[in-house]
Amino acid sequence: MRVAEVMTAPPLTTTTDAGVDDALALLARHHVSSLPVVDAAGRLQGLLHEVDVIRGRVPHAALAGGTPGPGAPPAVVGDVMAPVPARLGPDTDLATAADLLGSSSVTSLPVVDDQGHVVGVVSRSDVVGVLTGTAGDADDGLDTLTRRLLQLACRAPSVHNTQPWLWRATGSVIELYADPARQLAAADPDGRSLRISCGAALHHLQVAARALGQGCTVERLPAGPGSTLLARVSLEAGPDQPGTPPTDADARADLEAITARVTDRRRFTSWEVPAPRLEHLAGIGARAGCAVVPVVDPGRRHRLEELVEQARDLLSQDPAVQAEQRAWVQRSTHDGVPREATEGPATRFDDRPVVDPGGIDRADGVLVLATPTDEPLDHLRAGEALSRTSLSATTGLLSMVPLSHVVERPETRRALQRDVLGSALVPQLLVRVGWQESSRERLAPSPRRPLADVLLH
């Protein structure tokens, strides 16, 4: 078995000129102990270990409050990084990688191509995955780049973490299909939430393609609005070598956001999200075909909160919806909402499991995703807007939680359009935005289906 078949890609990296404090935050945010260090072109320069970052950065009590002297810790990563104990290539035999990991103090090693670009990271846990039979998608028949793109696309948010998408890859063309078997019959009989979820995956795919050196042309609903074929994406090699790590900061941030994003339904802090931050998110999310509307007016905000609670009460009285939601909590190791995301002192869940939280706190920011009409293309566009907004929120260290139940009931959806939007725009989704407690343990990403389960041949 080759390293390329089990490595994590794209890798999380830092740069030689990055601030050490920024690198420290990156290590903490992603719960990793080391990072490959690359230059502006993505070529491997060294390794940054957490022990190197923290050494000398916490003053002893006797020195607290003093001014840094000549011995102050380095400010940039290039001054504190360590040499790489061994270099692996994508074609390196996994047994060789395992021997190197076992004989060194590091828990992971970077994987570089012939030009020295970092294309992945292989860790001891990757090797353990092979030994226990839990390694991912090595036998899916995909080339390395396509597999990487689809793995990233499948990190998109979806209603109840149903992941209701299927993919067909043929050469440079990737097709996205809805998976009707994963439609929520009780809560989503028209398939609106299903298509919104697929739209988010479509945008994740576009982001990943751009970041990995691929241009792409998207044809939405190529077989018409009644087909399960939702999009056809044609890939084209960009100016950079396909599959190489991104060289610009925006592309790196996009990839970090895809891997870091989680739906954390726990109660936000009491810190308000400033209106300019909401406006910025709305501007990022809004594109042709979908508007993102911040709700900041006190009167409309109060009415929205009433509608959210009304929708929760209505759904709590629907036995079919309740049974469906319970079925998707702790459903399996590959899908559904993990129980840790529904329990604990800071959660909004109670004995009546509702996968979308019921209330909106005073400090929560609120955005409404709305479209001109209510057709399948609108739903797909709303999903793409959801992806854009959530990735931007993640980059800005904000947490974002979609609320679908207020649009699942016709009466609350009509009232949301009339009383809150006050326009002809059709509400597709409500999201709340806020800050998580910095001291709170970060939730692990929700589980994902193996690629073999979502591939059409």
Side-chain angles (χ1 to χ4, degrees):
M1 180 175 285
R2 301 179 304 126
V3 164
E5 298 177 67
V6 299
M7 69 183 184
T8 299
L12 184 66
T13 63
T14 187
T15 57
T16 53
D17 59 352
V20 174
D21 289 337
D22 292 336
L24 180 62
L26 194 61
L27 287 165
R29 188 160 68 247
H30 293 272
H31 299 277
V32 295
S33 59
S34 64
L35 291 171
V37 182
V38 299
D39 61 15
R43 292 184 292 266
L44 181 65
Q45 302 298 304
L47 279 178
L48 180 70
H49 302 286
E50 59 184 0
V51 65
D52 298 319
V53 177
I54 65 175
R55 185 182 293 119
R57 302 191 77 79
V58 181
H60 291 279
L63 301 177
T67 56
V76 297
V77 168
D79 294 333
V80 71
M81 67 183 185
V84 182
R87 294 196 179 202
L88 304 175
D91 292 324
T92 300
D93 184 75
L94 187 60
T96 301
D99 290 341
L100 291 170
L101 286 166
S103 62
S104 67
S105 59
V106 299
T107 59
S108 62
L109 287 169
V111 182
V112 297
D113 62 14
D114 293 339
Q115 288 74 43
H117 297 104
V118 181
V119 295
V121 173
V122 64
S123 66
R124 292 177 184 173
S125 62
D126 293 326
V127 178
V128 170
V130 173
L131 296 176
T132 59
T134 58
D137 306 299
D139 299 323
D140 50 33
L142 300 174
D143 62 80
T144 301
L145 176 61
T146 302
R147 181 183 303 113
R148 195 177 314 169
L149 290 173
L150 292 182
Q151 286 171 338
L152 290 166
C154 289
R155 291 303 317 166
S158 61
V159 59
H160 295 15
N161 194 28
T162 51
Q163 304 164 58
W165 43 67
L166 296 168
W167 308 90
R168 175 177 283 122
T170 308
S172 61
V173 175
I174 298 176
E175 292 180 332
L176 167 64
Y177 291 80
D179 186 350
R182 290 184 165 255
Q183 182 174 338
L184 301 174
D188 185 34
D190 299 325
R192 179 189 301 109
S193 293
L194 178 148
R195 287 184 288 270
I196 290 175
S197 300
C198 289
L202 174 61
H203 182 259
H204 267 46
L205 177 65
Q206 295 171 70
V207 168
R210 182 179 66 250
L212 296 179
Q214 295 283 293
C216 60
T217 302
V218 181
E219 185 182 2
R220 295 167 183 82
L221 304 182
S227 173
T228 59
L229 175 57
L230 299 180
R232 181 176 292 126
V233 180
S234 300
L235 302 174
E236 302 172 353
D240 298 326
Q241 181 178 352
T244 61
T247 57
D248 65 276
D250 288 342
R252 287 197 300 269
D254 285 340
L255 286 183
E256 289 177 16
I258 286 178
T259 56
R261 188 208 62 78
V262 295
T263 301
D264 192 338
R265 299 172 178 85
R266 295 174 295 184
R267 197 180 306 277
F268 295 153
T269 69
S270 59
W271 303 336
E272 290 189 8
V273 180
R277 292 293 295 270
L278 288 178
E279 293 287 353
H280 175 73
L281 281 179
I284 293 292
R287 292 293 189 274
C290 186
V292 180
V293 183
V295 182
V296 295
D297 174 78
R300 294 188 178 189
R301 171 64 180 255
H302 177 71
R303 179 59 176 146
L304 182 142
E305 293 171 0
E306 290 180 336
L307 293 173
V308 169
E309 290 298 337
Q310 179 185 350
R312 177 185 170 92
D313 289 342
L314 289 170
L315 292 174
S316 69
Q317 300 169 31
D318 188 327
V321 169
Q322 292 299 300
E324 189 173 65
Q325 291 178 149
R326 284 191 292 270
W328 282 95
V329 174
Q330 202 67 22
R331 175 183 162 97
S332 76
T333 57
H334 300 308
D335 57 12
V337 182
R339 192 166 300 283
E340 57 267 25
T342 68
E343 296 179 347
T347 185
R348 310 235 176 140
F349 288 78
D350 56 24
D351 292 336
R352 303 170 302 169
V354 176
V355 172
D356 289 324
I360 299 176
D361 284 347
R362 182 180 304 172
D364 294 356
V366 182
L367 301 171
V368 180
L369 279 59
T371 55
T373 57
D374 193 23
E375 302 298 328
L377 181 59
D378 297 292
H379 308 153
L380 204 60
R381 292 286 195 183
E384 293 181 80
L386 171 64
S387 172
R388 279 191 295 269
T389 309
S390 64
L391 294 181
S392 180
T394 300
T395 300
L397 303 182
L398 284 163
S399 186
M400 198 178 86
V401 179
L403 304 177
S404 61
H405 60 289
V406 73
V407 297
E408 290 173 9
R409 301 294 301 198
E411 55 268 56
T412 53
R413 193 177 191 219
R414 286 193 299 267
L416 178 63
Q417 180 182 21
R418 180 187 65 242
D419 301 340
V420 178
L421 292 180
S423 71
L425 290 172
V426 180
Q428 299 294 347
L429 193 65
L430 179 69
V431 296
R432 63 183 187 95
V433 184
W435 311 95
Q436 291 289 346
E437 292 280 1
S438 58
S439 59
R440 179 181 290 164
E441 183 178 354
R442 183 177 178 272
L443 289 180
S446 299
R448 285 301 184 270
R449 302 165 68 187
L451 281 187
D453 286 0
V454 298
L455 286 177
L456 295 172
H457 297 285

